[in-house]
Amino acid sequence: MRKLHKLCLAVFMLMAFFSCKEEENQIPLGEFENGVFIINEGAFGANDGEVYHYDPSNGQLKSNIFESKNARPFAGLLQDMVEVEGRLYLVANTGKVEVVDPKDFASKGAVSEGLDISRSLVVANQKLYISDWGPYDANFNSPDSYIAVVDQLDGGTVSKKISVSSNPEGMFLAGNQILVACESAQKMDVISVSTEAVTKSLEVIGRPVRFFESDGKLFLYAKDSENIYLHEINRSNAEILQTVEINVVLATSKFTLGENGELLVITSTGWPDYNDAIARVNINSREVLNQAIFSGSGFYGIGYHPQLKEIYVGDNNGFQGSGTVIVLDQNGQQLKTFTAGRGPSGFLVK
């Protein structure tokens, strides 16, 4: 019995020791490693784009986190946010990219020269590739669109510009190729990372804006006034395998991936009425499940929280002051609202 007692005591002490070591090795999460980033585009001319952070677990909302962490305003129209390589890239369509640490939003660098109307970004071969419309011509077209190359992950100068079809938007890295959605040209350009040159340019139906993945498949989202077109892409040879056409009238470029292969798409009549709605569609069955799970006016951005099964909708309120975030359940029932910055246009859920 005495030996058994000593053995139990030894086992208990070992368990306590390793438990303490495990607690010592746990690294506390950064301030912004969980929650929802709200992309507030800002108003044209004011260039007051900013980022808010919302914590769904306690309802805490932190505003203007770039300025509060870096003691200077963002000072641009925020177009996109991309997290990759342990960095968060804030792309402004006013010709700059800010690089921050996603844990605490402290600045790590920037690309502040050499850009015109920057739209999005990918990282390949430890370089930044930034889609840019280029300067407008006399008719406000973009004949000199390009992908800007920056040789450092923390920003710096533009080392090269790769000419692409008009109005490049979202991009996707597929192996050694960068796929570029060129909206006005209605094309998908393909860039070789090795040569940093366009290897082919494919015509697509609709106006393409962004790539997304669903059930292991890669799609390019495009639209016109009557339909959305989901072009399935072969990653190895950058060819279009098939096109899924779904009748979503007046679809915008704003969408998010929901549950079970579904897309949530903002539709809008546009000026002057702005009758907006959120349509739910199924990719696999190619059908519209609901033309309007939620309706309103001024819908400017949409996101989905897969763990909470909540839909986030950005309402720009006509750009008259602050915007509003509307939180819905997955069936479109309103749960709550809270104030956002100017023109809430997108969400990054972590």
Side-chain angles (χ1 to χ4, degrees), residues 268-275 297:
S268 179
T269 59
W271 187 87
D273 301 318
Y274 287 106
N275 294 318
S297 178

Side-chain angles (χ1 to χ4, degrees), residues 17-38:
F17 172 78
F18 284 113
S19 177
C20 290
K21 292 296 288 182
E22 186 177 329
E23 289 181 5
E24 288 175 6
N25 291 332
Q26 288 181 350
I27 301 173
L29 287 174
E31 184 177 0
F32 302 119
E33 285 194 86
N34 284 330
V36 181
F37 287 119
I38 303 162

Side-chain angles (χ1 to χ4, degrees), residues 219 230 232 241-248 261 281-289:
F219 292 95
L230 309 179
E232 185 181 349
L241 294 171
Q242 65 167 331
T243 296
V244 177
E245 179 181 321
I246 306 176
N247 181 221
V248 181
V281 304
N282 186 282
I283 299 171
N284 298 318
S285 66
R286 306 186 180 201
E287 62 180 330
V288 178
L289 303 178

Side-chain angles (χ1 to χ4, degrees), residues 190-202:
V190 181
I191 296 172
S192 166
V193 174
S194 301
T195 63
E196 293 186 341
V198 175
T199 58
K200 59 182 167 183
S201 184
L202 303 178

Side-chain angles (χ1 to χ4, degrees), residues 128-142:
L128 308 181
Y129 293 84
I130 305 165
S131 57
D132 198 301
W133 287 1
Y136 287 127
D137 65 12
N139 297 313
F140 292 98
N141 296 317
S142 303

